[in-house]
Amino acid sequence: MNQSVDTERQAGSAAEQDRVLIFDTTLRDGEQSPGATMTLSEKIEIALLLDEMGVDIIEAGFPIASEGDFEAVQNIAQLVKDATVCGLARSAFKDIDRAAEALRPARRPRIHTFISTSPLHMKYKLQMDPEEVIEAIEASVSRARNYTDDVQWSPEDGTRTEHDFLCRAVETAIKAGATTINIPDTVGYTVPNESARIIRMLKERVPDIDKVVIATHCHNDLGMAVANALAAVEAGARQIECTINGLGERAGNAALEEVVMAMRVRNDVLPFRTRIDTTRLVQASRLVSTATGFPVQYNKAIVGKNAFAHESGIHQDGMLKHAGTYEIMRPEDVGLTDSNLVLGKHSGRHALRAKLEELGFELGDNQLKDVFVRFKALADRKKEIYDEDLLALMADASTSAAHDRIQVRFLRVICGTEAPQSADLILSVDGEEHRVTASGDGPVDATFNAIKEIFPHEARLLLYQVHAVTEGTDAQATVSVRMEEDGKMVTGQASDTDTVVASAKAYVNALNKLLVRREKTKPGEGLGTAV
Ligand code: KIV
Ligand code: ZN
């Protein structure tokens, strides 16, 4: 797998001095966010979009962590065309060897190895003394360099590391062959001027630091991840590690869409360039939100539903006179189009294909056939179909598949002021149909009880959430459920004009994901037995 690193892409040449590499870690740090587990096909879809939109490096997973992570990194390495594909590894040789194995099919493989360097982490987490840590850095980076010329090294908890030791650790990594040095603010503790000071200090004190790319990886515990990342860039960092929607451990990471748009909109004071096609930002945000079941907050910068909405009369008046009065960027620059009334009951297959292409979906004939059937069913129940309806429909098509082991066949609920509410449900489990009637505290509870009666399981329901896709009483509802089994979480999602049907399908979607996970970790064992 030894191949030379594309120096143009490493921001080394003079012409590239103002270029900032975008390293997306949605599929690694983002997925570490509790409940944000994604399936292999969701990860592949996200990776391909990141590649298309110009992300320079995609951190696709942590191959030693699980079979699922290994498989994701391997598949993404195979399919991604342009971006460097990166796998994470601790300093242990078995981690590095596993990452290298997963990355073997990649055109541009990168191994990212890390070890903690702060006094607190070394003493309590690693139980290693500083000399042992220095030895581990030397050994791990050298080991990774045997596999690829593109090796990134990170001192975990870097911003809480003593400066003398940080310099020594970084120097050791560079001498051992690291080509990118990433400084993580692991616990989201730093502030912008300190973030900048650390980068400047390293540039002044560490020999050969100018031969490597310096990266910044900021967590958002104090809400300063984006500000800290941009401050690091102003001080000389040339790679930002970030995630779509700011997903990530605890309060998340710096949001990709925010750092990219900040450098674009305020290029007068942040004179840096990225390769990102910003018109794909909203699409990426929606895709990640759908895959993880994490809704995007309405007032989220750049991609939130209200980011370009103007409610007050004064603002609306200003906007009508000149958009620049209250908008610092154009909605179309981030890929937001007006919510057009698009299609209806009489729209044909060609119109649907054209509209889906406009929304960024390229479908093969068979896929289109399937989506068209769903579209017609929706149009029968809902007169006006908007962009958002089609996006929900596409999300639904990608989460529910004909080969799912459990499928909802029929549901009728009785609800109202008189208890008990009940659900009459038919589920198909491995091709066999089962029918039960169950009661509960409301129609959703009755439906979930019915599912559990047909398919007993120990998974716990952690979250149940409903969103209206568009306005109006005939709007589709998107339901997300999060479930936990053996400490692992999955999110199921589904949309329907009937909220209870969407709830049943979302619950079943989560169960199917648990079945896939169970199949991988304990082959041959089901999740339970159908009655
Ligand atoms: O936050 C962190 O320290 C990390 C490292 C693995 C880079 O995610
Ligand atoms: Zn992190």
Side-chain angles (χ1 to χ4, degrees), residues 28-29 88 112 114 154 156-157 182 184 186 217 219:
R28 199 278 298 168
D29 210 318
L88 185 68
H112 175 192
F114 71 100
S154 297
E156 191 185 3
D157 207 14
N182 174 42
T186 304
H217 175 111
H219 280 269

Side-chain angles (χ1 to χ4, degrees), residues 465-507:
Q465 211 161 243
V466 184
H467 306 278
V469 173
T470 54
E471 272 137 42
T473 48
D474 71 344
Q476 287 195 90
T478 293
V479 173
S480 306
V481 300
R482 194 169 304 147
M483 297 178 75
E484 183 263 345
E485 189 205 39
D486 289 342
K488 301 280 183 210
M489 280 181 263
V490 292
T491 302
Q493 213 170 47
S495 304
D496 199 281
T497 48
D498 186 316
T499 308
V500 187
V501 172
S503 304
K505 287 183 177 168
Y507 193 97

Side-chain angles (χ1 to χ4, degrees), residues 50-101:
L50 295 174
D51 191 27
E52 264 176 50
M53 66 193 260
V55 164
D56 298 284
I57 305 112
I58 299 171
E59 188 162 54
F62 190 178
I64 193 88
S66 69
E67 276 305 314
D69 261 50
F70 180 88
E71 209 183 341
V73 175
Q74 193 175 46
N75 276 269
I76 290 167
Q78 224 149 33
L79 296 168
V80 156
K81 292 197 185 80
D82 266 340
T84 295
V85 178
C86 176
L88 185 68
R90 289 166 300 191
S91 58
F93 284 1
K94 63 177 186 335
D95 279 41
I96 294 166
D97 298 348
R98 192 77 175 136
E101 197 186 335

Side-chain angles (χ1 to χ4, degrees), residues 232-301:
V233 166
E234 285 190 276
R238 285 296 175 270
Q239 175 178 300
I240 297 182
E241 307 211 353
C242 46
T243 56
I244 300 291
N245 297 338
L247 205 66
E249 286 269 15
R250 305 180 311 280
N253 290 70
L256 181 148
E257 59 278 6
E258 294 177 23
V259 292
V260 167
M261 287 312 287
M263 288 186 280
R264 181 174 159 161
V265 173
R266 294 310 311 275
N267 203 255
D268 54 333
V269 286
L270 294 168
F272 308 106
R273 291 180 300 121
T274 72
R275 278 198 324 140
I276 301 297
D277 172 0
T278 61
T279 65
R280 311 297 292 273
L281 292 174
V282 167
Q283 187 188 352
S285 164
R286 286 177 177 160
L287 184 61
V288 169
S289 169
T290 302
T292 55
F294 280 30
V296 177
Q297 79 195 51
Y298 279 13
N299 59 333
K300 163 85 179 61

